[in-house]
Amino acid sequence: MSYVVIEGLHKTYGTNAVLANIDMTIEEGEFVTLLGPSGCGKSTILRIIAGLTDPTSGVVKIEGKNMSNIQPKNREVGMVFQSYALFPNMTVKENVAFGLKMKKMNESEIEQKVKDALAIVHLSDKEHAFPHELSGGQQQRVALARALIVRPKVLLLDEPLSALDAQIRKKLQADLRSIQTELGMTMVLVTHDQEEAMAVSDKIFVMNKGIIAQEGTPTEIYTKPESEFVANFIGHYNVFTREELEQMIGKKLSGEREKFAIRPEAIHLKASEGDYRFKGTAKEAMMSGNVIRTVFQVGDRSFAVEQLHERQASLVLGNAYECYVSQEDVVALL
Amino acid sequence: MKKKGFVDLFFVFLLLYLFLPILATMFYAFATNWNKTVLPEGLTFKWIATLFQDSRFIEAFGRSVLLSGGAVLLALLFIVPAIFVIVLYFPKYEKWIQAAVVMVYAFPGVILAVGLIRAYAHIGVPMIAAVLGAYVISILPYIYQGTRNSLRNVNARQLLDAAELSGASKAQAFSKVLLPAVYPGLFAGALLSFSVLFGEFVLINLVVGSRFETVQIYLMKKLSTSGHIASSVVFVYLVLMGILTFIISMLTKRSKGAQKV
């Protein structure tokens, strides 16, 4: 049986349904991400798992135990918040030690565990600082140490990196993943950043309007989106109707699906055997570091191609090019 | 340059206009005689000493402290918990508190006094209790703003959630995390309320009468008998308000430190 099981979860506020029939399973030691746009219900699931919000109906089980009537403090679930939620009147050390003090652990043991927890998050030299004396990244590390120290069965991370700048966010993503692997802890991350989800997760649940749009490993989600929403949300896919794509490639497509998606980086300028071929005129290009995204025009339809940023520009704007895409990279959508 | 000089001059005159009466009053409290000269003829602690030897002043001071302090204490005991619950768990009811806050400002003191006398004088409620009740309500704006701002500054709901998920009960989360985090703001609101009530004159004079002497009523009576003693009362009052203001500014700075979290 799975470590965390969510069955038939519904949540409504008045007549507004926030979650509709959510089923979810999470294995022990797994790093799972709930990914979706703002307002899709992902944080509500987290709060329901923590016991901070009651579901309208449905069940949450952790290690086979129904959590329905169990108070948050007794669920053995930790949580890290986007706004850190550090106790402003306590030092870093006191913040981290809080959970152990509530468990009435003896002082020497608390001292040692706090030292270990602060070492894990690289903040050993800040134990006497107050939260307002720390940077955002440091505050979030303290919040992480405070949640980890009580060794929760499940650690919930509610957009913990959203308020941080890009560089610190990348560093903390890597730290988060390595801490999770080292401790073998089950973690559930909520984010709207698909790159972050891809970087840290074993499994991703993509959510939209209160339902799970797709679940799978990062590779499955990225390479085989099942719907137009997932294709657009996860990877800036080019989405075509059957008619548009058949017109472009000059061939009939098999199957009965009406929409198809192609990853921008799957379109290339060198032919391989069996590739679909189509022509387009390079109209505009956008450089984002290591990738150049070029928009091509075919009739009244446009599509994007992404290439690695190489020293010699390979495309000249205004020129027409033969583009190729492998048949496997044309994903039929539901 | 010319414009700046004019602004500076204007500012100096404004400060003189505002502070000269206060400084003069304070000097008068320490002046041996100040009738025909520009500056006092000499300085003395006689008037301050006389004031503190007057049992009527000590009693009036005690009544003011008791009445203002009692009203603040009652507000902390009954209004603050209600604001906590409403702001944290039933924010949709906040509009009712806001309406009550506006009503406090909307009623002039004289109308309030007449209303209190008409409502309570004939049903056996002691007028001092009626005034105390009115005081509790009149400081609602300060207590409400202080409490609500503190709760918002520290993101109180999330602090409670974080404390509970760390293993604290609701009571522990409240007493060990939330209360210490918001107390500077609460205390500042309480001190502000106390200083406002300490200077209140209209209600107590009209509803209870001048036989129940508070510091303000004592001051009014002394105005007609001894200018030096009246100035001494103002001096003591200003020192007390200065101390309260200093404490409030210290606490406000502390709250701002917590706000960055």
Side-chain angles (χ1 to χ4, degrees):
Chain A
M1 191 181 184
S2 296
Y3 196 62
V4 179
V5 178
I6 294 173
E7 290 170 350
L9 207 62
H10 280 80
K11 179 68 188 173
T12 54
Y13 290 105
T15 54
N16 181 28
V18 180
L19 295 173
N21 203 23
I22 299 286
D23 291 314
M24 211 177 258
T25 57
I26 299 167
E27 303 306 324
E28 188 172 7
E30 209 171 25
F31 198 126
V32 167
T33 296
L34 308 184
L35 173 67
S38 298
C40 71
K42 53 194 190 301
S43 289
T44 308
I45 294 183
L46 227 55
R47 292 184 63 82
I48 290 173
I49 296 174
L52 300 172
T53 299
D54 292 326
T56 306
S57 63
V59 174
V60 175
K61 290 178 188 168
I62 298 176
E63 274 192 320
K65 195 172 170 187
N66 189 337
M67 293 282 123
S68 296
N69 295 314
I70 298 179
Q71 285 188 353
K73 73 184 183 96
N74 297 324
R75 289 193 179 203
E76 295 182 68
V77 168
M79 193 157 173
V80 177
F81 299 86
Q82 184 183 352
S83 59
Y84 323 129
L86 294 179
F87 309 140
N89 53 308
M90 297 184 197
T91 61
V92 165
K93 185 179 171 183
E94 289 164 341
N95 262 283
V96 176
F98 184 82
L100 300 180
K101 281 192 174 156
M102 291 298 105
K103 286 185 170 179
K104 300 198 182 340
M105 199 174 268
N106 71 59
E107 283 297 325
S108 59
E109 211 173 336
I110 290 176
E111 187 86 12
Q112 190 52 49
K113 281 183 181 286
V114 169
K115 276 199 163 67
D116 294 345
L118 288 176
I120 288 176
V121 296
H122 314 298
L123 280 176
S124 299
D125 56 334
K126 297 285 182 191
E127 63 176 20
H128 298 298
F130 278 92
H132 70 266
E133 294 165 342
L134 303 176
S135 69
Q138 288 172 328
Q139 288 188 51
Q140 200 53 289
R141 284 170 193 271
V142 177
L144 186 61
R146 184 180 66 184
L148 288 173
I149 200 166
V150 291
R151 288 289 183 272
K153 286 178 179 168
V154 184
L155 180 60
L156 309 171
L157 306 150
D158 191 1
E159 307 213 26
L161 312 178
S162 301
L164 306 174
D165 63 56
Q167 210 176 352
I168 296 170
R169 197 161 66 224
K170 291 255 187 283
K171 172 85 176 74
L172 276 180
Q173 278 171 11
D175 286 355
L176 210 53
R177 182 65 202 195
S178 70
I179 289 168
Q180 188 268 340
T181 312
E182 198 181 312
L183 302 177
M185 192 173 277
T186 309
M187 290 191 186
V188 184
L189 170 73
V190 157
T191 182
H192 56 258
D193 180 344
Q194 50 96 1
E195 275 184 39
E196 188 171 293
M198 296 285 167
V200 299
S201 317
D202 294 315
K203 186 157 76 177
I204 297 173
F205 291 87
V206 185
M207 294 191 61
N208 185 31
K209 294 178 183 168
I211 58 164
I212 295 170
Q214 190 175 345
E215 69 171 273
T217 63
T219 309
E220 285 166 355
I221 296 280
Y222 189 67
T223 58
K224 296 273 180 275
E226 288 173 357
S227 63
E228 187 175 351
F229 167 77
V230 176
N232 283 325
F233 192 77
I234 208 82
H236 313 294
Y237 269 73
N238 296 296
V239 178
F240 304 96
T241 62
R242 172 181 283 275
E243 194 187 341
E244 282 170 343
L245 195 57
E246 285 179 346
Q247 231 169 38
M248 274 171 62
I249 61 175
K251 284 183 183 170
K252 284 277 173 200
L253 293 160
S254 58
E256 290 179 351
R257 303 272 173 91
E258 282 304 316
K259 287 209 167 169
F260 297 85
I262 304 173
R263 273 179 290 130
E265 71 274 20
I267 302 173
H268 42 89
L269 304 176
K270 284 180 187 154
S272 299
E273 206 182 316
D275 280 359
Y276 291 131
R277 183 171 66 93
F278 46 94
K279 238 180 181 169
T281 306
K283 282 288 176 195
E284 56 185 82
M286 219 164 54
M287 195 273 287
S288 57
N290 60 337
V291 169
I292 296 182
R293 185 178 171 90
T294 310
V295 178
F296 283 78
Q297 193 79 34
V298 195
D300 58 352
R301 182 77 175 83
S302 64
F303 63 91
V305 175
E306 285 180 357
Q307 298 174 298
L308 276 179
H309 189 179
E310 288 169 314
R311 197 173 297 163
Q312 291 244 295
S314 56
L315 294 169
V316 179
L317 295 183
N319 283 4
Y321 292 92
E322 296 268 332
C323 300
Y324 302 91
V325 63
S326 156
Q327 292 188 25
E328 289 167 13
D329 287 326
V330 177
V331 183
L333 302 174
L334 283 173
Chain B
M1 217 37 207
K2 206 173 175 182
K3 199 176 172 187
K4 193 177 178 296
F6 176 75
V7 171
D8 287 348
L9 199 65
F10 176 78
F11 192 63
V12 168
F13 273 113
L14 183 72
L15 285 180
L16 276 176
Y17 175 75
L18 290 174
F19 285 103
L20 210 55
I22 296 172
L23 281 173
T25 309
M26 284 171 72
F27 267 121
Y28 203 64
F30 294 97
T32 48
N33 214 352
W34 195 6
N35 295 324
K36 298 167 189 165
T37 50
V38 176
L39 289 171
E41 287 171 24
L43 294 174
T44 177
F45 282 103
K46 189 175 95 183
W47 312 115
I48 297 281
T50 310
L51 181 68
F52 279 99
Q53 279 160 6
D54 183 357
S55 61
R56 266 180 61 207
F57 172 73
I58 302 296
E59 282 166 18
F61 195 86
R63 281 188 205 102
S64 282
V65 169
L66 273 178
L67 203 56
S68 312
V72 171
L73 199 67
L74 286 174
L76 289 177
L77 284 175
F78 295 105
I79 295 179
V80 169
I83 294 171
F84 265 84
V85 172
I86 289 169
V87 172
L88 292 177
Y89 298 104
F90 303 99
K92 63 179 176 179
Y93 296 127
E94 249 191 275
K95 61 182 179 211
W96 296 110
I97 302 189
Q98 281 156 2
V101 165
V102 172
M103 282 168 75
V104 168
Y105 289 118
F107 283 103
V110 177
I111 293 177
L112 193 60
V114 173
L116 284 174
I117 292 167
R118 287 184 71 90
Y120 296 111
H122 308 296
I123 58 169
V125 174
M127 278 298 108
I128 189 67
V131 168
L132 187 67
Y135 275 8
V136 173
I137 302 301
S138 70
I139 57 174
L140 179 66
Y142 312 106
I143 298 286
Y144 168 64
Q145 291 294 350
T147 310
R148 190 193 60 163
N149 291 347
S150 299
L151 290 173
R152 289 198 175 162
N153 282 347
V154 299
N155 203 346
R157 190 67 203 267
Q158 215 156 72
L159 284 189
L160 288 175
D161 289 347
E164 280 189 64
L165 287 169
S166 298
S169 64
K170 278 192 192 303
Q172 282 172 322
F174 183 79
S175 64
K176 289 183 189 297
V177 174
L178 193 57
L179 218 48
V182 299
Y183 114 88
L186 265 186
F187 200 53
L191 287 182
L192 187 64
S193 305
F194 179 82
S195 64
V196 167
L197 290 181
F198 202 82
E200 204 282 322
F201 174 75
V202 177
L203 272 188
I204 196 75
N205 191 34
L206 291 179
V207 177
V208 184
S210 62
R211 276 175 300 143
F212 187 85
E213 268 188 344
T214 60
V215 170
Q216 299 301 327
I217 292 175
Y218 179 86
L219 172 63
M220 188 192 67
K221 287 179 180 170
K222 283 293 170 191
L223 276 174
S224 56
T225 55
S226 166
H228 288 290
I229 297 289
S231 297
S232 300
V233 175
V234 173
F235 174 75
V236 170
Y237 178 75
L238 286 175
V239 168
L240 180 69
M241 289 305 118
I243 293 169
L244 289 180
T245 308
F246 176 75
I247 297 172
I248 290 170
S249 73
M250 289 290 113
L251 290 169
T252 312
K253 270 188 201 162
R254 243 184 103 171
S255 312
K256 279 182 182 161
Q259 195 178 332
K260 291 181 195 165
V261 178

